[in-house]
């Protein structure tokens, strides 16, 4: 319904970026020097200056984003330009270096720059890919509402299990208590269900088992149902099975939401520190070049 | 028999106090009669600490008694002191039962059987009336009260509130936080309550915070010395008697209207309407010689006006020809006009403008106080097509030209005495024409609120404006070339209709007998396709529906439903055929339009999901929106930069809630102001703090008194109460040293709980360069603002917003 950052204003910043890259390539192709191309020629300095200014400008995005009173263009336009010109920086900086790399601070700056840009590429992918999936997964619910739903189902399970035979009550209670959502960054990113449940085994002892999607608990209840002849108990189990099935659905949604939200956000925790480190390395690179000229 | 006093003032409210003080100051014999044991009953009944306003600010106070805005307690004690100091002869608990006679011999009968004789009577008894009593055994016990001063005074009590009106609901809701509260309703619903109060009481009952006895009446109140609560209230319910142990019973069952009493004194009312006010002369004298009516009873609900009238009425009785206190204001307004004094100018205006001619002189004076007189230069634009202004203009002198946009050559002239601007006044939508001043043009511009008040209370004015509206709507929609005079028979046959939201104007398959021009609100058009109702169009105010049936078929091909409260003008087929005869190009234009509709319909039917999207948007109240924030879910990354931008640009409080609100087909409607065409929030704002700009923004100004009316009246929950956070974040300090709060983050400091909260809502960043901050701050372009004209483009997936 609306234009994304990639097509913003008929891709004006794509054309700008392509123009910058093409001009740099043309100059590089036409440039003739006695030594192999490097940062020390007039073209090398020119490209280096353009690249350094670009890097500074790209970090200014973080400031513009927080300048809420600013009337200097829409943030969407800034992001569109940030993406395309940031990509063009790859070309400009590579040509500036003349593809000469080594184990030194200069190449460190280059490497950090590439890492920053590639983490940004992932960001573009995530921003364009996940929102639609997140919205579809959520329907009209917020994450908070989904968690509320899970809690409501849990309470219903506990209430029903309160009057059930001991083994059923214990299994249901442990399934509720040991349901897990979220976790640290990696657990969120993987979206793996680390829920557990304590099940009685034949010898009277209890075992802690993995319970992804509540399936182990559902299986156990199904098996317990087959062993019972008490009408009231089987009605309770049927009701619990129904509740666990809807909890399973809701938990799947929650987990998918957490996973996708994490993927939408985690890359920024790389992109920003990398960019800050890059600025530091860039300063060292520039100072070093001028000191040891 | 006692002496005959010069003047008896009945009712010790602001008007009566001021009149009695003037009488005392001039040394004439007088008495101030008050039915209750204290002065200013209406204000005594306000809740504790309520802020009493001194509006209108421009009006100077003319009274021997001082008055300025402040808390209820300060205002009341100031008046008490003034009463004591001025030597007013006042009788409390002296209820007037009858007033007989006329100047110079009035006989005032009192409730204790005594009577007072006076040459003149000033009636200043307000409109509240005396509270209706329960009329059941036990009503004299100390547990029954008819007012609630301070809801916080009671904690842990069992309290029954009797009544189903606004006062009862407000009391019950205010009390239920710290007490066990019951409410007794004679009927099975709260039909008389304001929407906001209705929502509150319904919620409170659903959540069990208040228990409601429906279809119940109080039977008696009994003392229960041995029980935990001092008394019990016995109720008659459908299931027989019910008994509730209580600490107190608060009866809010309305007041005995003043009108019957006033009429019994011989005073005539111009109509039977409940809003009617007695016919009064410019000196506040009623049709009974020597009987004067001032204050709210005479149609002046504001305290300052009432006090000024109290002063003036005594001067008039003494035969002093003083001009009213607002004289200098009007003098200033009328400067430059050549009609003479203020009263001569007012008379000349009423004579020149037929719409205002039959108005009561006082009502017209009031209207002119709110209005502005302007003299635009020839060729100056009064308003532009598509402006959002909604004031109403009358032409005092000269002419104006009414045209549509660039085609000013074809503009229609309007002459002195006529009026314009009624289209936006009624529909709340943008201006439908451009108006340019002609030679020697003098205009009276009146605010929408003033004219709406006039329309509600004056039949003549309403009929005149309605007829003009119908004529101009019909003329501009169907027959621009036909002179107005020839359309009169069509207008006379036209009907005004009102529909509640969700009402079907006509259904598919019905006989097609009329066409509807939408006057305010909007409708959706749907067709039954394959057993499913599919919305094919949304039609806003100013457009028409139902023409297909009249021209082509005789059966309706679609169902038309009001999406919000909607008013239409309907033309029956006979009138429409007469129109077709009069306007030769109309048939052709209609056929073209029908063709276009058919094409649109087939497009919409080919993509039923678009129709579903329209219905979804209508359900979200977009049918009455003029500008709404939507979020494209397929682009929204949930960064909340929109909310942060809103908070940062509006003293720390975001006016939108991005995550709340429903989503359909990747269109998310966040909780944010729709800038309704006829804003619900404006309906009941005591200080008149909510306004609409020429660009359409509905905003709340600094005069908000924090009464929460707008918050309760908004059906979309977009207004909330907040304290301004005046400390802006310091960007570089935060970035470099991590000091202070981050931009867009919540304030670290807790607001002082004594700071009064004010209502806040979206103002579309009207004071910011570059437009709404939410949209500008969205990094992915997901946030967009849309007006109804753009819905179609939005729905078809294309469009350029």
């Amino acid at each position: 319904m609306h234009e994304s950052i990639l097509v913003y204003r008929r891709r004006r910043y794509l054309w700008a970026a392509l123009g910058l890259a093409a001009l740099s390539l043309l100059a590089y192709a036409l440039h003739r020097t006695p030594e192999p191309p490097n940062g020390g020629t007039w073209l090398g300095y020119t490209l280096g200056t353009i690249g350094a200014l670009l890097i500074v400008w790209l970090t200014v995005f973080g400031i513009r984003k927080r300048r809420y009173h600013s009337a200097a263009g829409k943030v969407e336009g800034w992001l569109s330009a940030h993406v395309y010109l940031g990509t063009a920086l790859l070309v400009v900086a590579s040509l500036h270096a003349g593809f000469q790399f080594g184990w030194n601070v200069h190449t460190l700056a280059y490497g950090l720059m590439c890492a920053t840009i590639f983490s940004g590429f992932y960001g573009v992918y995530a921003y364009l890919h996940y929102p639609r999936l997140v919205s579809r997964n959520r329907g009209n619910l917020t994450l908070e509402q989904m968690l509320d739903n899970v809690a409501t189902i849990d309470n219903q399970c506990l209430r029903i299990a309160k009057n059930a035979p001991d083994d059923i009550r214990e299994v249901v209670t442990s399934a509720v208590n040991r349901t897990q959502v979220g976790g640290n960054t990696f657990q969120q990113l993987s979206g793996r269900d680390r829920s557990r449940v304590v099940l009685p085994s034949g010898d009277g002892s209890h075992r802690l088992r993995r319970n992804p999607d509540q399936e182990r608990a559902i299986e156990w209840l199904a098996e317990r149902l087959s062993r019972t002849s008490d009408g009231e108990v089987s009605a309770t189990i049927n009701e619990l099975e129904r509740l666990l099935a809807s909890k399973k659905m809701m938990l799947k949604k929650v987990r998918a939401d957490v996973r996708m939200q994490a993927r939408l956000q985690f890359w920024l925790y790389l992109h920003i520190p990398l960019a800050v480190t890059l600025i530091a390395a860039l300063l060292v690179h520039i100072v070093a070049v001028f000191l040891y000229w | 028999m006692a002496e005959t006093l010069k003047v008896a003032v009945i009712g010790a409210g602001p008007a009566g106090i001021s009149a009695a003080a003037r009488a005392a100051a001039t040394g004439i014999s007088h008495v101030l009669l008050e039915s209750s044991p204290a002065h200013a009953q209406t204000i005594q009944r306000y809740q504790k600490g309520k802020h009493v306003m001194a509006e209108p600010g421009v009006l100077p106070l003319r009274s021997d008694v001082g008055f300025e805005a402040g808390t209820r307690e300060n205002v009341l004690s100031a008046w008490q002191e003034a009463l004591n100091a001025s030597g007013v002869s006042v009788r409390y608990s002296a209820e007037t039962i009858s007033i007989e006679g006329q100047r110079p011999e009035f006989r005032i009968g009192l409730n204790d059987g005594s009577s007072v004789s006076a040459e003149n009577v000033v009636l200043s008894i307000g409109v509240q009336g005396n509270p209706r009593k329960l009329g059941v055994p036990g009503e004299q016990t100390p547990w029954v009260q008819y007012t609630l001063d301070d809801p916080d005074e009671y904690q842990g009590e069992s309290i029954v509130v009797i009544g189903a009106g606004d006062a009862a609901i407000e009391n019950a809701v205010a009390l239920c936080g710290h007490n066990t509260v019951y409410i007794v309703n004679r009927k099975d619903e709260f039909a008389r309550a304001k929407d906001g109060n209705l929502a509150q009481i319904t919620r409170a009952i659903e959540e069990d915070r208040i228990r409601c006895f429906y279809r119940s009446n109080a039977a008696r109140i009994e003392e229960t010395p041995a029980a935990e609560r001092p008394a019990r209230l016995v109720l008659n319910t459908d299931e027989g008697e019910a008994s509730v142990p209580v600490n107190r019973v608060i009866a809010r069952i309305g007041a005995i209207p003043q009108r019957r009493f006033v009429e019994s004194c011989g005073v005539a009312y111009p109509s039977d309407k409940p809003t009617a006010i007695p016919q009064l002369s410019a000196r506040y004298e009623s049709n009974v010689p020597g009987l004067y009516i001032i204050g709210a009873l005479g149609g002046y609900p504001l305290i300052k006006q009432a006090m000024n009238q109290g002063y003036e009425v005594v001067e008039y009785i003494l035969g002093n020809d003083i001009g009213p206190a607002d004289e200098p204001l009007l003098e200033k307004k009328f400067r430059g006009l050549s009609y003479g004094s203020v009263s001569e100018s007012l008379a000349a205006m009423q004579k020149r403008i037929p719409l205002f001619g039959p108005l009561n002189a006082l009502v017209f004076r009031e209207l002119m106080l709110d209005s502005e007189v302007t003299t635009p230069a020839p060729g100056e634009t009064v308003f532009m097509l598509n402006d959002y202004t909604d004031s109403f203009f009358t032409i005092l002198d000269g002419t104006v030209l009414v045209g549509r946009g660039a085609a000013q050559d074809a503009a229609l002239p309007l002459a002195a005495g006529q009026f314009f601007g009624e289209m936006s006044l009624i529909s709340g939508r943008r201006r439908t024409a451009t108006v340019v001043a002609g030679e020697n043009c003098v205009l009276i511009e009146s605010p929408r609120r003033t004219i709406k008040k006039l329309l509600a209370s004056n039949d003549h004015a309403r009929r005149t404006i309605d007829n003009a509206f119908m004529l101009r709507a019909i003329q501009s929609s169907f027959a621009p070339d036909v002179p107005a005079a020839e359309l009169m028979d069509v207008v006379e046959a036209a009907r005004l209709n009102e529909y509640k939201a969700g009402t079907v104007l006509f259904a598919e398959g019905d006989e097609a007998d009329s066409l509807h021009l939408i006057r305010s609100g909007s409708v959706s058009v749907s067709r039954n396709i394959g057993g499913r109702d599919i919305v094919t169009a949304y039609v806003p105010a100013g457009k028409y529906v139902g023409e297909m049936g009249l021209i082509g078929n005789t059966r309706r091909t679609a169902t038309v439903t009001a999406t919000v409260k909607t008013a239409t003008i309907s033309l029956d087929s006979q009138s429409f055929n007469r129109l077709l005869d009069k306007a030769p190009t109309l048939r052709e234009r209609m056929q073209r339009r029908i063709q276009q509709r058919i094409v649109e319909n087939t497009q919409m039917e080919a993509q039923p999901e678009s129709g579903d999207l329209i219905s979804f948007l209508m359900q979200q109240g977009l049918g009455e929106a003029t500008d709404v924030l939507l979020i494209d879910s397929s682009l929204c990354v949930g960064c909340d930069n929109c909310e942060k931008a809103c908070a940062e640009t509006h003293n720390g409080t975001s006016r939108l809630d991005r995550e709340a609100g429903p989503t359909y087909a990747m269109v998310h409607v966040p909780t944010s102001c729709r800038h309704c065409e006829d804003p619900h929030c404006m309906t009941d704002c005591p200080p008149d703090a909510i306004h609409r700009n020429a660009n359409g923004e509905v905003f709340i100004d600094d005069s908000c008194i924090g009464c929460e009316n707008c918050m309760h009246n908004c059906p979309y929950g977009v207004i909330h109460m907040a304290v301004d956070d005046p400390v802006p974040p310091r960007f570089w300090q935060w970035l470099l040293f991590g000091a202070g709060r981050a931009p867009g983050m919540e304030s670290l400091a807790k607001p002082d709980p004594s700071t009064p909260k004010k209502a806040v809502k979206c103002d579309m960043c009207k004071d910011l360069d570059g437009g709404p901050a939410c949209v500008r701050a969205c990094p992915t372009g997901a946030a967009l603002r849309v007006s109804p004209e753009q819905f179609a483009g939005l729905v078809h997936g294309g469009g350029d917003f």
Side-chain angles (χ1 to χ4, degrees):
Chain A
M1 123 180 129
H2 206 47
E3 52 181 20
S4 75
I5 47 168
L6 292 188
V7 296
Y8 180 77
R9 295 277 164 95
R10 300 182 178 185
R11 299 188 167 86
R12 60 161 69 161
Y13 297 108
L14 169 64
W15 301 118
L18 283 174
L20 176 63
L23 270 178
S24 310
L25 279 168
L26 188 70
Y28 187 82
L30 298 178
H31 188 51
R32 290 283 169 262
T33 51
E35 70 237 74
N38 68 71
T41 65
W42 70 263
L43 181 65
Y45 273 113
T46 309
L47 289 174
T49 309
I50 293 174
L53 290 176
L54 256 181
I55 289 175
V56 171
W57 177 80
L58 288 166
T59 56
V60 170
F61 176 75
I63 297 172
R64 168 65 187 91
K65 204 184 108 177
R66 290 174 177 83
R67 290 284 195 207
Y68 298 109
H69 282 276
S70 169
K74 289 170 72 174
V75 177
E76 185 190 6
W78 275 75
L79 183 56
S80 182
H82 183 85
V83 166
Y84 282 121
L85 295 176
T87 310
L89 179 62
L90 268 182
V91 177
V92 173
S94 302
L95 297 179
H96 160 70
F99 303 99
Q100 293 191 13
F101 303 113
W103 294 106
N104 54 38
V105 71
H106 314 294
T107 303
L108 174 66
Y110 181 84
L112 283 168
M113 183 201 76
C114 290
T116 312
I117 294 174
F118 287 119
S119 67
F121 283 172
Y122 175 80
V124 173
Y125 163 78
Y127 272 28
L128 294 179
H129 181 68
Y130 286 117
R132 184 177 291 274
L133 300 180
V134 169
S135 175
R136 202 167 286 158
N137 178 53
R138 281 189 178 183
N140 273 327
L141 298 174
T142 62
L143 179 59
E144 205 177 323
Q145 287 166 332
M146 290 194 274
L147 291 172
D148 274 354
N149 286 354
V150 172
T152 309
I153 297 173
D154 278 350
N155 285 335
Q156 284 173 326
C157 288
L158 292 174
R159 210 180 55 230
I160 292 170
K162 205 161 69 181
N163 301 322
D166 287 351
D167 58 337
I168 297 180
R169 193 182 65 244
E170 279 162 17
V171 168
V172 168
T173 312
S174 96
V176 166
N177 290 341
R178 293 171 190 272
T179 298
Q180 289 213 18
V181 174
N184 62 33
T185 310
F186 295 104
Q187 289 164 343
Q188 286 189 28
L189 283 170
S190 82
R192 204 164 60 90
D193 189 347
R194 292 170 304 108
S195 299
R196 300 277 193 276
V197 63
V198 176
L199 296 180
S201 45
D203 55 8
S205 66
H206 290 80
R207 278 240 191 93
L208 185 61
R209 311 293 289 269
R210 289 175 20 83
N211 186 24
D213 287 336
Q214 305 296 304
E215 269 166 8
R216 202 55 72 78
I218 293 174
E219 278 166 24
W220 184 88
L221 280 171
E223 189 265 339
R224 179 71 174 73
L225 181 64
S226 65
R227 280 190 284 127
T228 188
S229 52
D230 183 333
E232 205 172 313
V233 173
S234 45
T236 304
I237 295 179
N238 277 325
E239 183 60 16
L240 285 169
E241 291 267 16
R242 191 186 60 77
L243 284 171
L244 281 181
S246 47
K247 178 176 171 180
K248 171 181 162 178
M249 295 294 295
M250 199 43 75
L251 274 177
K252 272 196 159 163
K253 274 180 181 291
V254 169
R255 237 179 284 283
D257 193 70
V258 170
R259 189 180 65 236
M260 290 190 285
Q261 291 293 343
R263 289 179 185 185
L264 267 171
Q265 284 164 21
F266 90 97
W267 65 275
L268 268 172
Y269 292 92
L270 298 176
H271 193 67
I272 306 300
L274 278 170
V276 174
T277 326
L278 162 61
I279 295 271
L282 184 68
L283 278 174
V284 175
H285 159 66
I286 292 169
V287 169
V289 164
F290 283 101
L291 269 186
Y292 301 106
W293 195 348
Chain B
M1 179 124 192
E3 57 156 343
T4 300
L5 300 167
K6 180 74 178 172
V7 55
V9 181
I10 301 173
I17 292 173
S18 177
R22 188 69 207 143
T26 52
I28 58 175
S29 57
H30 69 278
V31 67
L32 175 58
L33 301 169
E34 169 59 40
S35 67
S36 67
H39 65 301
Q41 273 309 295
T42 300
I43 293 157
Q44 300 271 10
R45 275 180 229 159
Y46 285 0
Q47 291 197 350
K48 188 178 155 193
K50 184 177 163 118
H51 185 81
V52 179
M53 284 173 300
E55 297 297 316
V58 289
L59 184 67
L61 177 70
R62 181 155 68 176
S63 173
D64 299 295
V65 180
F67 168 58
E68 51 190 45
T71 60
R72 157 187 173 273
E73 289 71 24
N74 288 345
V75 168
L76 285 174
S77 68
W79 284 342
Q80 187 61 61
E81 278 164 31
L83 273 178
N84 297 343
S86 60
V88 168
S89 137
V90 53
R91 281 175 68 178
Y92 290 112
S93 302
E95 188 178 344
T96 302
I97 305 291
S98 63
I99 302 172
E100 284 162 18
Q102 59 182 50
R103 181 168 46 218
E105 191 59 60
F106 279 105
R107 231 177 95 85
I108 302 162
L110 301 177
N111 57 342
D112 61 2
S114 66
S115 68
V116 172
S117 299
E119 287 177 34
N120 299 282
V121 172
V122 175
L123 205 51
S124 53
I125 53 177
V127 289
Q128 295 289 316
N130 292 320
R132 204 183 286 279
K133 299 277 164 41
L134 277 175
V136 299
E139 68 164 359
Q140 300 295 348
T141 54
W143 303 290
V144 181
Q145 63 191 65
Y146 296 92
T147 59
L148 173 64
D149 246 17
D150 177 9
D152 293 333
E153 207 176 298
Y154 310 121
Q155 312 266 342
E157 293 197 349
S158 166
I159 302 175
V160 178
V161 179
I162 300 178
D166 289 310
I169 295 173
E170 281 163 17
N171 285 176
V173 170
L175 286 165
C176 74
H178 303 291
N179 301 284
T180 311
V181 175
Y182 303 84
I183 190 165
V184 177
N185 185 348
R186 218 150 36 96
K187 307 227 168 90
D188 40 21
E189 57 184 6
F190 290 87
R192 279 184 297 130
K194 287 189 285 209
D195 287 352
N197 281 332
L198 179 64
Q200 285 203 61
I201 190 74
T202 314
R203 208 176 313 138
I205 293 172
E206 268 169 19
E207 292 169 3
D208 262 349
R209 286 183 285 127
I210 294 176
R211 226 193 113 193
C212 182
F213 291 97
Y214 290 105
R215 302 167 63 85
S216 304
N217 284 307
R220 60 186 181 276
I221 294 121
E222 292 168 353
E223 198 171 347
T224 51
E228 184 192 354
R229 311 282 183 189
R232 67 189 183 119
L233 169 71
V234 180
L235 295 166
N236 285 325
T237 72
D238 277 0
E239 289 98 43
E241 282 197 348
S243 157
V244 187
V246 290
N247 294 87
R248 66 190 70 247
V249 174
I250 301 176
R252 302 306 300 261
I253 43 182
I256 302 153
Q258 307 285 35
R259 180 163 174 166
R260 201 173 307 156
F261 169 70
V262 176
E263 282 178 328
S264 75
C265 307
V267 175
Y269 279 78
S271 82
D272 284 337
K273 286 197 165 186
T275 49
I277 48 174
Q279 197 80 30
L280 300 176
S281 76
R283 296 184 153 198
Y284 314 124
E285 193 168 3
S286 71
N287 61 311
V288 179
L291 180 59
Y292 297 82
I293 294 179
I294 56 172
L297 183 64
Y300 293 85
L302 296 174
I303 293 171
K304 213 196 279 179
Q305 290 172 326
M307 293 182 72
N308 286 356
Q309 292 183 348
Y311 179 100
E312 287 153 15
V313 77
V314 171
E315 291 292 332
Y316 292 149
I317 288 171
L318 290 172
N320 299 334
D321 187 16
I322 59 159
D326 49 34
E327 196 86 352
L329 297 175
L330 286 175
E331 240 164 50
K332 209 168 130 200
K333 274 186 209 238
F334 297 166
R335 197 173 295 156
L337 300 183
S338 51
Y339 300 113
S341 72
V342 166
S343 54
E344 283 163 354
S345 298
L346 286 169
M349 287 173 179
Q350 285 201 274
K351 209 170 146 202
R352 290 181 76 91
I353 301 169
L355 173 67
F356 295 149
L359 297 188
N360 174 330
L362 285 175
V363 172
F364 181 63
R365 189 181 181 100
E366 182 73 12
L367 184 135
M368 285 310 299
L369 271 174
D370 287 343
S371 306
E372 289 301 328
V373 179
T374 56
T375 49
E380 194 180 320
T381 305
V382 180
F383 57 70
M384 292 283 288
L385 178 74
N386 290 340
D387 270 3
Y388 263 113
T389 50
D390 52 13
S391 52
F392 177 82
F393 292 86
T394 32
I395 309 169
L396 186 56
D397 216 339
T399 55
V400 297
L401 290 172
V402 182
R404 288 184 164 248
Q408 277 299 327
D409 341 325
L412 176 82
L414 288 180
Q418 291 185 286
F419 55 83
F420 58 93
E422 77 288 348
M423 292 279 196
S424 296
L425 175 85
I426 289 171
S427 71
R429 296 249 178 189
R430 297 162 184 240
R431 296 289 189 192
T432 54
T434 298
V435 176
V436 175
E439 296 291 329
N440 306 321
C441 184
V442 183
L443 301 176
I444 299 172
E445 180 176 5
S446 312
R448 181 173 198 223
R449 185 180 158 102
T450 307
I451 297 294
K452 284 197 96 170
K453 205 165 89 186
L454 175 71
L455 296 188
S457 60
N458 188 295
D459 284 340
H460 161 78
R462 204 190 60 242
R463 244 190 343 263
T464 313
I465 291 182
D466 274 350
N467 281 344
F469 179 91
M470 285 199 280
L471 171 65
R472 289 179 191 164
I474 290 168
Q475 196 177 27
S476 66
S477 299
F478 303 119
D481 316 326
V482 182
E486 286 186 35
L487 292 173
M488 286 322 286
D489 55 336
V490 178
V491 171
E492 264 156 40
R495 286 219 331 263
L496 283 173
N497 315 286
E498 287 207 352
Y499 302 95
K500 279 189 194 159
T503 317
V504 172
L505 275 67
F506 53 78
E508 197 172 342
D510 283 359
E511 195 184 336
D513 52 1
S514 61
L515 164 155
H516 289 266
L517 244 171
I518 300 161
R519 172 169 137 116
S520 65
S522 59
V523 299
S524 66
V525 182
S526 61
R527 302 184 70 183
N528 191 300
I529 296 162
R532 221 178 126 226
D533 276 333
I534 291 179
V535 174
T536 57
Y538 154 80
V539 185
K543 302 267 169 64
Y544 49 88
V545 287
E547 78 286 357
M548 261 165 107
L550 284 194
I551 290 220
N553 324 350
T554 52
R555 296 262 157 211
R556 297 294 189 193
T557 53
T559 300
V560 169
T561 314
T563 58
V564 290
K565 189 176 157 212
T566 298
T568 71
I569 298 169
S570 60
L571 289 180
D572 58 24
S573 52
Q574 226 177 344
S575 321
F576 191 70
N577 282 327
R578 277 208 298 275
L579 256 183
L580 285 176
D581 294 339
K582 283 176 184 167
T585 57
L586 177 60
R587 186 177 294 272
E588 198 187 320
R589 277 191 297 126
M590 286 306 244
Q591 273 160 352
R592 263 208 308 275
R593 170 145 176 79
I594 288 171
Q595 265 175 17
Q596 196 190 333
R597 274 252 163 110
I598 293 173
V599 171
E600 281 170 12
N601 282 352
T602 32
Q603 268 176 4
M604 289 297 287
E605 281 159 27
Q607 27 174 195
E609 64 281 8
S610 310
D612 292 346
L613 183 55
I614 294 191
S615 348
F616 166 74
L617 293 176
M618 293 305 126
Q619 276 160 24
Q620 302 315 314
L622 272 59
E624 59 179 331
T626 61
D627 186 292
V628 64
L629 176 66
L630 296 181
I631 290 177
D632 183 341
S633 292
S634 66
L635 290 177
C636 176
V637 296
C639 65
D640 277 337
N641 221 32
C642 46
E643 281 188 22
K644 290 174 190 165
C646 186
E648 281 308 319
T649 49
H650 295 90
N651 297 321
T653 309
S654 172
R655 285 98 205 276
L656 77 103
D657 185 342
R658 177 192 60 81
E659 201 173 16
T663 309
Y664 181 81
M666 294 295 151
V667 179
H668 178 65
V669 186
T671 301
S672 153
C673 181
R674 278 97 163 121
H675 299 274
C676 301
E677 53 188 22
D678 194 0
H680 302 271
C681 51
M682 273 191 202
T683 42
D684 192 13
C685 176
D688 196 14
I690 309 181
H691 311 278
R692 165 160 249 150
N693 258 6
N695 296 327
E697 313 95 341
V698 176
F699 64 97
I700 305 177
D701 72 22
D702 291 339
S703 66
C704 170
I705 55 167
C707 70
E708 304 188 0
N709 280 358
C710 53
M711 181 175 88
H712 298 309
N713 282 333
C714 173
Y716 308 112
V718 305
I719 302 181
H720 47 254
M721 310 304 294
V723 178
D724 281 356
D725 177 15
V727 191
R730 298 179 180 210
F731 181 79
W732 290 107
Q733 284 186 9
W734 166 76
L735 184 73
L736 298 176
F737 310 110
R741 74 182 164 100
M745 288 297 130
E746 267 183 36
S747 176
L748 303 171
K750 283 262 176 290
D752 177 3
S754 68
T755 319
K757 288 187 171 182
K758 290 188 166 196
V760 297
K761 69 177 281 300
C762 166
D763 60 0
M764 281 217 277
C765 297
K766 63 182 177 62
D767 300 324
L768 286 187
D769 291 340
C774 50
V775 173
R776 272 186 299 128
C778 178
T780 60
L784 57 147
R785 300 207 72 103
V786 182
S787 63
E789 294 80 31
Q790 294 169 318
F791 286 164
L794 176 78
V795 165
H796 289 304
D800 181 19
F801 304 111

